[in-house]
Amino acid sequence: MTGGSGGIGRVSAARLAAANTAVVVHHASGRDRADDVVDSIRAEGGRAVAAGGDVADETEMSALFDVAEREFGGVDVLVHTAGIMPLAPITEMDLDTFDRIQRTNLRGTFVVDQLAARRLRPGGAIINLSTSITRLQTPGYGAYAASKGAVEAMTLILARELRGRDLTVNAVAPGPTTTALFFEGKSPELITAIASANPMERLGTPDDVAEMIAFLAGPARWVNGQVLHVNGGAA
């Protein structure tokens, strides 16, 4: 579970652990938060360990898969939630920031998906995180949406490249979700307006997204090569 110490990652890790899945909780720098997730999973009788690394670094991510194989005997599911979301209009975004977004969100997905495709056991699942912003096309999200649009394309192609391997590859595309990443830089008035605009008249929660991730990680063996929008009908 890359990004397992973050909002969606944390809840999804707990949801998978509750279904008797052993979880490696990945973090980029927040070791304390990852340890908290591991402690909470173990307190409920689940199995989990924490491990760090840069998702865009193939050596560090290979070591992450090594941890899973050493601790739990192999890897069956990759859930890739790690990502960053600096916002600015395209005309104003600093190119160094643009490069950082693409490195983490796009290269990071390529690196971990490539390793998963090589190392997952038959019957496994690769689950990437995209965003409903690719449909909503909200101003200010150009660089982020570009990275996630590429993630979606890569997901669909990888699903077809893995023909005969008994591996599913899908992407989950949440809408506005109550995480720290979403709330950052938004006024209460804007948050209320975004929630009110949804047909369900609320924001999504990490639990909403975790249910879809658990479905794809477990019983959804006939769902493959899809982008599933978990957004209350926002678009």
Side-chain angles (χ1 to χ4, degrees):
M1 171 78 65
T2 68
S5 62
I8 291 174
R10 181 187 190 100
V11 173
S12 297
R15 176 66 179 79
L16 292 176
N20 202 32
T21 300
V23 183
V24 176
V25 179
H26 160 267
H27 63 91
S29 57
R31 179 61 191 246
D32 289 345
R33 291 189 302 158
D35 285 340
D36 287 344
V37 177
V38 169
D39 289 344
S40 66
I41 289 172
R42 289 177 175 174
E44 296 295 325
R47 295 171 295 159
V49 296
D54 176 359
V55 292
D57 185 302
E58 63 272 26
T59 301
E60 293 184 14
M61 288 301 96
S62 182
L64 182 71
F65 279 79
D66 291 342
V67 169
E69 291 177 352
R70 182 174 63 250
E71 295 289 333
F72 303 123
V75 185
D76 298 300
V77 178
L78 165 71
V79 181
H80 180 51
T81 72
I84 60 173
M85 193 174 64
L87 302 179
I90 291 170
T91 55
E92 299 174 15
M93 175 161 281
D94 178 83
L95 288 178
D96 287 341
T97 302
F98 176 86
D99 289 343
R100 185 163 58 89
I101 294 169
Q102 307 313 314
R103 184 180 187 279
T104 298
N105 295 357
L106 178 52
R107 178 187 166 93
T109 302
F110 192 96
V111 166
V112 297
D113 277 15
Q114 183 182 72
L115 287 164
R118 292 171 176 172
R119 299 177 69 164
L120 258 62
R121 297 182 289 200
I126 297 171
I127 305 165
N128 293 321
L129 263 286
S130 182
T131 173
S132 289
I133 289 295
T134 56
R135 284 186 177 181
L136 296 171
Q137 300 157 3
T138 306
Y141 286 80
Y144 177 71
S147 72
K148 293 300 189 176
V151 165
E152 291 184 6
M154 187 163 45
T155 297
L156 304 185
I157 290 170
L158 181 59
R160 287 146 181 85
E161 290 181 345
L162 295 181
R163 170 186 289 270
R165 291 279 308 282
D166 192 22
L167 298 174
T168 61
V169 188
N170 295 287
V172 175
T177 304
T178 55
T179 65
L181 194 65
F182 169 76
F183 286 124
E184 185 176 348
K186 294 182 176 69
S187 68
E189 294 77 15
L190 178 57
I191 292 167
T192 298
I194 292 171
S196 299
N198 192 284
M200 302 297 288
E201 298 186 329
R202 68 172 177 88
L203 298 173
T205 68
D207 290 287
D208 293 324
V209 182
E211 284 302 313
M212 177 59 75
I213 288 173
F215 175 62
L216 294 173
R221 298 308 304 162
W222 198 235
V223 181
N224 187 32
Q226 304 298 318
V227 177
L228 296 111
H229 290 259
V230 183
N231 60 20

